[in-house]
Amino acid sequence: MRQFLFDEWRALASLNRSDRPWEMPAAAALASGLPIFIGAAFGELGLGLAASLGGLVFLHLPATRLSHRMAWLMACSFGMTASHALGLLGHLVPALVVPLLVTITLLVTMVVRFYAAPPPGPLFFVMAAAIGAYGPAHGRDAMLQVGAVAMGTVLAVAIAFLYSLYIVSRHGVPAPSPPSQPDFDLVVTDSVVMAAFVGLSLLAAHALQLERPYWVPVSCLAVIQGASLRAAWTRQLQRILGTGLGLLLFLGIAQVPLGPWGVAVVLTALALVIETLVVRHYGLATVFITPLAILLAEAGQGFVTAPQQLMQARLLDTVVGALLGLAGAACLHSPRFRARVGAGLRRLRF
C-alpha cells in the first residue's frame, strides 16, 4: 500500500520539460483575451466571450512549415465554428443534443487521428459544441454568437500568422515529421469508442438531472484521451483534484466585483498561465482551466449571484465525466474489447 501511494504521488507530482518558446503562451493568451477586451469596449461582453471561445483555435497551431500551419488552422477554425453552431442547434432542439455531440466527437476525433494532429485534439471542438448546447442563447442571439465565434477564429488565425512569421524567422522552418500511417483501429475504432462514452456521459448527466452539464463531455474526453490506461487513471485524478482547487480559485475570483474589463484581464491572465503550465503538469493547468471555462460559459449571465451552487455543479460534472472517461479508457486499452469492436465495424464496412 505504501509503495502504491508513493507511486501515485510521484505520478501526480512529476513535472515535464517544456519545449515551447515563451512567445507561444503569450500569443495564445492574446488570441483568447483580445476578443474580450474588444467586446468590453463595445459593451458586448457576451459576444466577446463567444469570440474568445473561437480564439482557442490558436492552440491547434502545428509546428510545421508556414503554408501547412495556416491551412490547418483555417480548417480548424471552420470546425470550431461549425461545432459551436451545431451545439446551438441542439440547444434549440434538446432531443438533438446527445446525437449531435456524439457525431461531433466522432468526426473530429477521426480527422485529428487521421492527420496525426497533436494535442489538444478534439477537446476544444467538443467544448465549443457543449457550451453552445447548454448555453442560454436563443434566436437572434444564437446567430450573433455563431458570428462572434467565427470572428474570434479569424482573429486567432491572424495572430497565428504573425506569430509564425516571427518564430520561423527566429528558429527556422521545423524539420518535417514523417508522414502519418493511419490505422483503422486508431482512426475508426478508437473514435467510435470515444464518441460512445461521450454520449454515455451526457446520458448520465441527463439522468442525474444536472443543470447545464457542458463540463461532463469535456472531462470525459480529456480523460479518455490518455495515451495508456495508466495515463488515463493519472489524468482522471489530476482532473478531479485540479478541478476542486480550481473551484476554490474561482470562488476567490467571484468575490471580486469584476466588470467587463476585469473579466477580460482575468481570462487573459488565466490563458497565459494555462499555456505555460499545461505541457509541464496537466493537474496544475486544470486548476486554472476550471475558472477559465466557467468564466467563458457563465460570465455573461452574472455567475456571481450563486457561485457556491455553480461550484457544486461543475465539481459533480467533473466527477461524472472523469469516471466515465476512465471507464472508456479501460475499454479503449483492452485488446479484446478493441478487437471485437473493430471486427464489428469492419463488417459494417465503416
Side-chain angles (χ1 to χ4, degrees):
M1 176 60 73
R2 181 178 299 177
Q3 184 62 39
F4 172 78
L5 293 175
F6 175 76
D7 291 341
E8 289 298 317
W9 171 251
R10 186 170 56 183
L12 288 172
S14 61
L15 293 174
N16 303 315
R17 297 185 63 182
S18 174
D19 57 354
R20 285 183 172 179
W22 68 265
E23 296 92 345
M24 189 275 176
L30 182 65
S32 59
L34 184 57
I36 311 175
F37 283 102
I38 295 173
F42 286 94
E44 294 288 352
L45 179 61
L47 293 180
L49 291 168
S52 177
L53 182 63
L56 293 175
V57 78
F58 179 92
L59 302 177
H60 293 272
L61 184 67
T64 55
R65 65 186 187 280
L66 186 60
S67 58
H68 179 267
R69 284 178 183 232
M70 303 320 298
W72 177 255
L73 202 61
M74 286 188 283
C76 290
S77 298
F78 171 79
M80 184 77 81
T81 305
S83 296
H84 189 67
L86 290 172
L88 284 167
L89 176 61
H91 176 71
L92 299 174
V93 186
L96 295 178
V97 169
V98 175
L100 281 173
L101 282 171
V102 168
T103 302
I104 291 168
T105 305
L106 175 63
L107 295 179
V108 175
T109 306
M110 289 176 68
V111 169
V112 299
R113 291 201 164 214
F114 182 84
Y115 289 104
L123 191 65
F124 289 124
F125 299 96
V126 174
M127 179 176 168
I131 288 178
Y134 295 104
H138 292 279
R140 178 176 175 273
D141 291 340
M143 298 299 294
L144 288 173
Q145 198 163 307
V146 173
V149 171
M151 291 303 296
T153 65
V154 171
L155 182 59
V157 169
I159 292 172
F161 178 68
L162 296 176
Y163 165 79
S164 298
L165 286 177
Y166 170 78
I167 287 296
V168 169
S169 68
R170 288 286 302 274
H171 302 284
V173 179
S177 302
S180 61
Q181 299 293 331
D183 171 78
F184 182 89
D185 286 334
L186 179 70
V187 175
V188 178
T189 304
D190 290 4
S191 300
V192 169
V193 173
M194 292 166 73
F197 274 90
V198 166
L200 286 174
S201 72
L202 283 168
L203 292 175
H206 291 172
L208 293 171
Q209 298 182 343
L210 303 183
E211 184 178 0
R212 297 188 63 202
Y214 56 84
W215 207 229
V216 172
V218 176
S219 297
C220 178
L221 190 57
V223 172
I224 202 174
Q225 285 188 113
S228 64
L229 184 56
R230 172 67 189 183
W233 167 259
T234 301
R235 178 161 287 203
Q236 175 223 205
L237 291 177
Q238 289 179 334
R239 188 153 194 101
I240 293 174
L241 294 174
T243 297
L245 294 174
L247 289 171
L248 294 177
L249 176 59
F250 166 73
L251 181 61
I253 294 172
Q255 305 308 309
V256 180
L258 292 177
W261 294 101
V263 171
V265 169
V266 169
L267 277 170
T268 303
L270 288 172
L272 178 62
V273 173
I274 290 165
E275 292 311 310
T276 302
L277 287 177
V278 70
V279 293
R280 297 180 181 274
H281 194 282
Y282 178 76
L284 285 177
T286 304
V287 174
F288 299 92
I289 290 171
T290 301
L292 180 138
I294 294 175
L295 286 167
L296 280 178
E298 310 283 353
Q301 289 82 51
F303 64 89
V304 295
T305 55
Q308 288 81 9
Q309 290 87 332
L310 193 55
M311 291 170 60
Q312 292 173 3
R314 295 296 78 84
L315 182 59
L316 184 56
D317 290 351
T318 300
V319 172
V320 171
L323 290 177
L324 280 165
L326 182 62
C331 294
L332 203 60
H333 296 289
S334 167
R336 181 179 299 179
F337 181 88
R338 283 166 59 89
R340 289 183 176 179
V341 173
L345 291 173
R346 285 182 173 87
R347 285 197 295 270
L348 293 173
R349 299 184 185 275
F350 196 99

